[in-house]
Amino acid sequence: MRPMRGMERRTAMTDTLGVSVDTTNAAAARHQPVRDAIARAAELARDAEANAVRRQHAKGKYTARERLDLLFDTDTFEEIGRFNGGDINAGKAGSAVITGFGKIYDRKVAVYAQDFSVRGGTMGMAEGRKICHLMDMAIDLKIPVVALIDSGGARIQEGVAALAQYGHIFRKTCEASGFIPQISLILGPCAGGAVYCPALTDLIIMTKENSNMFVTGPDVVKAATGETISMDELGGGYVHNATSGVAHYLGEDEADAIDYARTVLAYLPSNSDEQAPTCAYASGHAEREAAKRIGGIMPDNDRQPYDVLDVIRCIVDYGEFVQVQELYAQSAVVGFACVDGRPVGVVANQPNVLAGILDVEASEKVARFVRLCDAFNLPVITLVDTPGYKPGADQEHNGIIRRGAKVIYAYANAQVPMITVILRKAFGGSYIVMGSKAIGADVNVAWPSSQIAVLGAAGAVNIIRRKDLQKAREAGQDVNALRRRLADEYERTTVNANLSLEMGEIDAMIDPEQTRDVIERSLRLLATKRRVRRTGKHHGNQPM
């Protein structure tokens, strides 16, 4: 592991009232007598951390308090309920969870960190009450909650009472959902019903090692099905980032995972009533150079792939783009960036992977991210280049209708500023769902290379001119040459953005070099856009 920040443990300890007690300063002790009980509590706290260091470092893991040092700005963490759930007289320092508040980039954040060195980090009544109390405070203070999870699950000795605490936490998490950002870091085991605590939060971050999530562990799987599988193969960090889509980032190690959490929070507001924090930014030479580069990214051949990340980096401030779910459903790209100092969410099709097609996984990835942006007031920038929804029996059987509809629901209900740029292909249903003006986008522009139609030229010709092709085949004519000619004609008359311009579905045709400038101006135009409640319904019934 790399050197740990803030590892030098201070001799000053904190009692349950937050009183700092320095047991090593004899002079201070003469002027401020220290009760034996408080001195005993400080000694217990030191011993507990020393024990945690021995146990966690042997596994290649940080202690809960070392993780808090990495998470928060230096010397900003304030713990609450330090000895709650402990027994000082009996030598028990506290419960298996640490709760408190600190600052990340000078903004207040609530945290609970499970301590695996205390009874395996298991959840009991004391732990559940501490977590729920913290979440109540976070909701009242309107600040984000970060969970550092490293737990053996429900405490068996407490039975149903321990299980009930998960129910209380589930309910608090649902209450906070969409109101304050909630981020979960899985830094150890997370199994059984405990997995649904992070599953209900906005983002889940895992690490390559020591990070596991599963409803039933390998032993139970083997007993039930006969299948032999390792913990990592069943629910490791890579599996949940690349295969299941449960997690949103795979950290190289704990420090990287925690740094990602800090980075994401920098793009989000503290709550849904606020706008995301902005930073001072002045365009200059770098932006002019990026504008020149963007024009050369798109290949002349409309069937040739390219990396949409190159386009994104030419548009956003400093070329910095923080991807979400980078390893999952890679035909779609989502993530955070800034444009002119203002945080935005970026959604894009990725032509480098399956031509940027929308399948069941990509649909859910896009929908979930758009909902996140809408909840926390981030404008959505959509870059479109997709031939449509992926065809095939497997897609139909896996619910492309139900799961593809999630994209529609997300965009149609979003009330943040939405700006869409059609880079190349926008065919069929995918044109509609990917932030079209018809579905609710505010500003829609297209590059000159854009192709907008119900179907691509080749596919359309095969359907609408099939009789002409059949006659040519029967007459012994060159069918392929006829198909190419008909396809070229279809492209000239139908597969272009002119019809969309004439109908008002596209606001302007722009050169690629103008893209950032158009987005900047559109964001300024839409800065005063506000939410409108159009009905008195409790909530919609979105496709699940």
Side-chain angles (χ1 to χ4, degrees):
M1 280 190 165
R2 71 188 193 185
M4 301 177 183
R5 188 183 73 185
M7 290 300 99
E8 302 82 5
R9 311 264 36 112
R10 291 172 293 174
T11 55
M13 305 305 295
T14 304
D15 69 4
T16 54
L17 298 178
V19 178
S20 181
V21 180
D22 192 336
T23 59
T24 64
N25 192 325
R30 285 196 298 270
H31 295 290
Q32 183 69 42
V34 177
R35 295 180 181 177
D36 291 342
I38 294 178
R40 173 60 175 152
E43 182 182 359
L44 280 175
R46 285 197 304 273
D47 291 346
E49 181 60 16
N51 176 60
V53 167
R54 285 193 300 273
R55 296 187 61 179
Q56 292 290 89
H57 287 194
K59 302 173 185 175
K61 297 163 67 176
Y62 290 124
T63 70
R65 294 182 184 280
E66 289 169 348
R67 291 163 178 166
L68 294 175
D69 284 337
L70 290 171
L71 178 66
F72 289 121
D73 300 345
T74 304
D75 293 330
T76 63
F77 177 62
E78 297 289 341
E79 186 170 359
I80 60 173
R82 172 65 179 86
F83 297 99
N84 188 342
D87 187 337
I88 295 173
N89 291 331
K92 296 179 181 178
S95 68
V97 67
I98 300 166
T99 55
F101 302 88
K103 289 187 176 181
I104 295 178
Y105 296 117
D106 207 34
R107 291 193 298 152
K108 190 178 295 183
V109 173
V111 69
Y112 70 86
Q114 293 176 319
D115 187 347
F116 198 84
S117 70
V118 179
R119 306 182 75 174
T122 53
M123 177 74 72
M125 291 182 65
E127 288 78 11
R129 288 169 179 167
K130 283 183 71 172
I131 292 171
C132 287
H133 177 63
L134 177 90
M135 294 188 70
D136 280 334
M137 292 185 69
I139 292 170
D140 289 341
L141 295 171
K142 300 183 178 182
I143 59 174
V145 173
V146 174
L148 305 178
I149 297 174
D150 187 1
S151 170
R155 189 167 297 151
I156 297 173
Q157 296 90 327
E158 296 189 26
V160 175
L163 287 176
Q165 297 307 316
Y166 282 119
H168 295 312
I169 297 171
F170 295 163
R171 185 161 184 168
K172 293 294 180 188
T173 305
C174 292
E175 182 182 345
S177 180
F179 179 59
I180 55 175
Q182 300 179 87
I183 297 178
S184 299
L185 291 100
I186 315 300
L187 304 176
C190 181
V195 297
Y196 294 108
C197 290
L200 291 167
T201 61
D202 298 304
L203 294 171
I204 295 175
I205 301 167
M206 301 182 72
T207 59
K208 288 185 175 180
E209 297 181 0
N210 300 320
S211 181
N212 299 106
M213 291 179 73
F214 34 70
V215 175
T216 55
D219 292 341
V220 177
V221 169
K222 184 173 183 178
T225 68
E227 179 184 6
T228 300
I229 190 168
S230 70
M231 290 179 66
D232 279 344
E233 291 171 328
L234 181 63
Y238 183 79
V239 166
H240 283 311
N241 273 271
T243 304
S244 72
V246 167
H248 300 83
Y249 181 74
L250 182 64
E252 289 290 330
D253 51 28
E254 290 188 22
D256 181 41
I258 291 170
D259 184 64
Y260 183 81
R262 285 176 54 89
T263 300
V264 166
L265 284 172
Y267 288 92
L268 296 173
S270 293
N271 59 74
S272 61
D273 292 336
E274 297 179 3
Q275 296 297 312
T278 58
C279 60
Y281 183 83
S283 296
H285 176 72
E287 286 67 36
R288 289 191 293 272
E289 289 301 310
K292 293 177 183 177
R293 288 199 307 274
I294 199 172
I297 294 172
M298 184 70 68
D300 294 332
N301 183 349
D302 64 8
R303 292 180 177 273
Q304 185 177 339
Y306 62 93
D307 192 347
V308 78
L309 291 173
D310 292 336
V311 176
I312 294 171
R313 293 183 183 119
C314 286
I315 294 172
V316 301
D317 294 354
Y318 307 114
E320 293 178 357
F321 179 56
V322 180
Q323 281 202 67
V324 175
Q325 290 187 301
E326 180 179 357
L327 302 178
Y328 181 69
Q330 294 179 316
S331 63
V333 170
V334 301
F336 302 104
C338 285
V339 176
D340 197 27
R342 180 176 182 179
V344 299
V346 179
V347 176
N349 305 114
Q350 175 57 288
N352 250 355
V353 179
L354 300 174
I357 206 162
L358 281 176
D359 56 16
V360 290
E361 289 86 8
S363 296
E364 290 190 330
K365 176 177 176 177
V366 168
R368 173 70 170 169
F369 185 74
V370 171
R371 293 288 279 176
L372 174 65
C373 292
D374 186 50
F376 295 112
N377 306 318
L378 264 62
V380 177
I381 312 300
T382 305
L383 306 178
V384 184
D385 186 354
T386 176
Y389 280 104
K390 185 178 180 180
D394 65 321
Q395 291 293 299
E396 298 296 345
H397 298 168
N398 284 319
I400 188 64
I401 297 172
R402 168 177 56 85
R403 296 163 76 178
K406 295 180 183 182
V407 184
I408 300 172
Y409 195 93
Y411 273 105
N413 282 278
Q415 294 197 24
V416 292
M418 290 192 289
I419 301 163
T420 299
V421 183
I422 298 176
L423 307 182
R424 190 164 62 178
K425 293 183 176 70
F427 293 156
S430 61
Y431 158 69
I432 296 295
V433 306
M434 289 294 294
S436 68
K437 189 171 286 289
I439 211 168
D442 300 291
V443 175
N444 293 64
V445 297
W447 285 6
S449 56
S450 60
Q451 302 174 3
I452 306 171
V454 175
L455 200 61
V461 165
N462 286 335
I463 294 173
I464 63 178
R465 302 302 293 270
R466 62 183 181 277
K467 290 184 178 179
D468 294 332
L469 294 172
Q470 180 62 31
K471 289 178 181 178
R473 185 177 292 106
E474 293 171 353
Q477 297 176 3
D478 188 341
V479 177
N480 290 331
L482 176 61
R483 183 182 286 110
R484 285 194 297 271
R485 181 171 61 80
L486 293 174
D488 290 342
E489 180 183 346
Y490 183 84
E491 283 194 358
R492 285 195 305 273
T493 60
T494 307
V495 186
N496 59 62
N498 289 341
L499 290 175
S500 297
L501 280 167
E502 294 163 4
M503 294 175 62
E505 295 298 313
I506 295 294
D507 294 306
M509 191 79 72
I510 65 170
D511 289 330
E513 292 85 351
Q514 298 175 287
T515 306
R516 177 184 165 92
D517 183 56
V518 168
I519 292 173
E520 278 188 22
R521 288 188 282 112
S522 298
L523 287 172
R524 287 194 290 268
L525 170 69
L526 299 167
T528 55
K529 183 180 180 182
R530 294 294 177 262
R531 300 180 184 276
V532 177
R533 186 169 183 175
R534 295 186 173 88
T535 71
K537 65 184 178 183
H538 299 302
H539 58 74
N541 185 21
Q542 73 178 85
M544 294 293 190

